[in-house]
mmCIF file with all atom_site columns, all heavy atoms in Angstrom:
data_model
loop_
_atom_site.group_PDB
_atom_site.id
_atom_site.type_symbol
_atom_site.label_atom_id
_atom_site.label_alt_id
_atom_site.label_comp_id
_atom_site.label_asym_id
_atom_site.label_entity_id
_atom_site.label_seq_id
_atom_site.pdbx_PDB_ins_code
_atom_site.Cartn_x
_atom_site.Cartn_y
_atom_site.Cartn_z
_atom_site.occupancy
_atom_site.B_iso_or_equiv
_atom_site.pdbx_formal_charge
_atom_site.auth_seq_id
_atom_site.auth_comp_id
_atom_site.auth_asym_id
_atom_site.auth_atom_id
_atom_site.pdbx_PDB_model_num
ATOM 1  N N   . ILE A 1 166 ? -101.454 39.948 41.978 1.00 0.00 ? 166 ILE A N   1
ATOM 2  C CA  . ILE A 1 166 ? -102.592 40.350 41.154 1.00 0.00 ? 166 ILE A CA  1
ATOM 3  C C   . ILE A 1 166 ? -103.806 40.583 42.044 1.00 0.00 ? 166 ILE A C   1
ATOM 4  O O   . ILE A 1 166 ? -103.930 39.965 43.113 1.00 0.00 ? 166 ILE A O   1
ATOM 5  C CB  . ILE A 1 166 ? -102.908 39.286 40.070 1.00 0.00 ? 166 ILE A CB  1
ATOM 6  C CG1 . ILE A 1 166 ? -103.843 39.857 38.994 1.00 0.00 ? 166 ILE A CG1 1
ATOM 7  C CG2 . ILE A 1 166 ? -103.473 38.016 40.692 1.00 0.00 ? 166 ILE A CG2 1
ATOM 8  C CD1 . ILE A 1 166 ? -103.994 38.964 37.762 1.00 0.00 ? 166 ILE A CD1 1
ATOM 9  N N   . ARG A 1 167 ? -104.672 41.484 41.628 1.00 0.00 ? 167 ARG A N   1
ATOM 10 C CA  . ARG A 1 167 ? -105.952 41.698 42.315 1.00 0.00 ? 167 ARG A CA  1
ATOM 11 C C   . ARG A 1 167 ? -107.053 41.001 41.529 1.00 0.00 ? 167 ARG A C   1
ATOM 12 O O   . ARG A 1 167 ? -107.136 41.134 40.306 1.00 0.00 ? 167 ARG A O   1
ATOM 13 C CB  . ARG A 1 167 ? -106.280 43.189 42.398 1.00 0.00 ? 167 ARG A CB  1
ATOM 14 C CG  . ARG A 1 167 ? -105.367 43.984 43.304 1.00 0.00 ? 167 ARG A CG  1
ATOM 15 C CD  . ARG A 1 167 ? -105.959 45.355 43.581 1.00 0.00 ? 167 ARG A CD  1
ATOM 16 N NE  . ARG A 1 167 ? -106.125 46.135 42.364 1.00 0.00 ? 167 ARG A NE  1
ATOM 17 C CZ  . ARG A 1 167 ? -107.082 47.054 42.181 1.00 0.00 ? 167 ARG A CZ  1
ATOM 18 N NH1 . ARG A 1 167 ? -107.981 47.293 43.104 1.00 0.00 ? 167 ARG A NH1 1
ATOM 19 N NH2 . ARG A 1 167 ? -107.137 47.734 41.046 1.00 0.00 ? 167 ARG A NH2 1
ATOM 20 N N   . GLU A 1 168 ? -107.886 40.250 42.220 1.00 0.00 ? 168 GLU A N   1
ATOM 21 C CA  . GLU A 1 168 ? -108.971 39.529 41.561 1.00 0.00 ? 168 GLU A CA  1
ATOM 22 C C   . GLU A 1 168 ? -110.085 39.278 42.569 1.00 0.00 ? 168 GLU A C   1
ATOM 23 O O   . GLU A 1 168 ? -109.827 38.766 43.666 1.00 0.00 ? 168 GLU A O   1
ATOM 24 C CB  . GLU A 1 168 ? -108.469 38.199 40.992 1.00 0.00 ? 168 GLU A CB  1
ATOM 25 C CG  . GLU A 1 168 ? -109.484 37.420 40.185 1.00 0.00 ? 168 GLU A CG  1
ATOM 26 C CD  . GLU A 1 168 ? -109.709 37.986 38.797 1.00 0.00 ? 168 GLU A CD  1
ATOM 27 O OE1 . GLU A 1 168 ? -108.939 38.891 38.385 1.00 0.00 ? 168 GLU A OE1 1
ATOM 28 O OE2 . GLU A 1 168 ? -110.628 37.521 38.112 1.00 0.00 ? 168 GLU A OE2 1
ATOM 29 N N   . SER A 1 169 ? -111.318 39.649 42.214 1.00 0.00 ? 169 SER A N   1
ATOM 30 C CA  . SER A 1 169 ? -112.490 39.406 43.066 1.00 0.00 ? 169 SER A CA  1
ATOM 31 C C   . SER A 1 169 ? -112.263 39.898 44.491 1.00 0.00 ? 169 SER A C   1
ATOM 32 O O   . SER A 1 169 ? -112.482 39.155 45.466 1.00 0.00 ? 169 SER A O   1
ATOM 33 C CB  . SER A 1 169 ? -112.840 37.918 43.064 1.00 0.00 ? 169 SER A CB  1
ATOM 34 O OG  . SER A 1 169 ? -113.106 37.471 41.756 1.00 0.00 ? 169 SER A OG  1
ATOM 35 N N   . GLU A 1 170 ? -111.796 41.110 44.641 1.00 0.00 ? 170 GLU A N   1
ATOM 36 C CA  . GLU A 1 170 ? -111.591 41.749 45.938 1.00 0.00 ? 170 GLU A CA  1
ATOM 37 C C   . GLU A 1 170 ? -110.431 41.165 46.739 1.00 0.00 ? 170 GLU A C   1
ATOM 38 O O   . GLU A 1 170 ? -110.182 41.565 47.870 1.00 0.00 ? 170 GLU A O   1
ATOM 39 C CB  . GLU A 1 170 ? -112.866 41.690 46.797 1.00 0.00 ? 170 GLU A CB  1
ATOM 40 C CG  . GLU A 1 170 ? -114.112 42.263 46.141 1.00 0.00 ? 170 GLU A CG  1
ATOM 41 C CD  . GLU A 1 170 ? -113.926 43.713 45.726 1.00 0.00 ? 170 GLU A CD  1
ATOM 42 O OE1 . GLU A 1 170 ? -113.313 44.465 46.487 1.00 0.00 ? 170 GLU A OE1 1
ATOM 43 O OE2 . GLU A 1 170 ? -114.386 44.076 44.628 1.00 0.00 ? 170 GLU A OE2 1
ATOM 44 N N   . GLY A 1 171 ? -109.702 40.201 46.175 1.00 0.00 ? 171 GLY A N   1
ATOM 45 C CA  . GLY A 1 171 ? -108.563 39.609 46.878 1.00 0.00 ? 171 GLY A CA  1
ATOM 46 C C   . GLY A 1 171 ? -107.249 39.970 46.225 1.00 0.00 ? 171 GLY A C   1
ATOM 47 O O   . GLY A 1 171 ? -107.188 40.411 45.073 1.00 0.00 ? 171 GLY A O   1
ATOM 48 N N   . ILE A 1 172 ? -106.154 39.771 46.979 1.00 0.00 ? 172 ILE A N   1
ATOM 49 C CA  . ILE A 1 172 ? -104.815 39.952 46.453 1.00 0.00 ? 172 ILE A CA  1
ATOM 50 C C   . ILE A 1 172 ? -104.123 38.599 46.485 1.00 0.00 ? 172 ILE A C   1
ATOM 51 O O   . ILE A 1 172 ? -104.204 37.871 47.482 1.00 0.00 ? 172 ILE A O   1
ATOM 52 C CB  . ILE A 1 172 ? -104.013 40.970 47.291 1.00 0.00 ? 172 ILE A CB  1
ATOM 53 C CG1 . ILE A 1 172 ? -104.655 42.361 47.217 1.00 0.00 ? 172 ILE A CG1 1
ATOM 54 C CG2 . ILE A 1 172 ? -102.551 41.043 46.816 1.00 0.00 ? 172 ILE A CG2 1
ATOM 55 C CD1 . ILE A 1 172 ? -103.978 43.393 48.106 1.00 0.00 ? 172 ILE A CD1 1
#
Side-chain angles (χ1 to χ4, degrees):
I166 195 169
R167 292 194 299 150
E168 185 76 9
S169 301
E170 305 302 320
I172 296 176

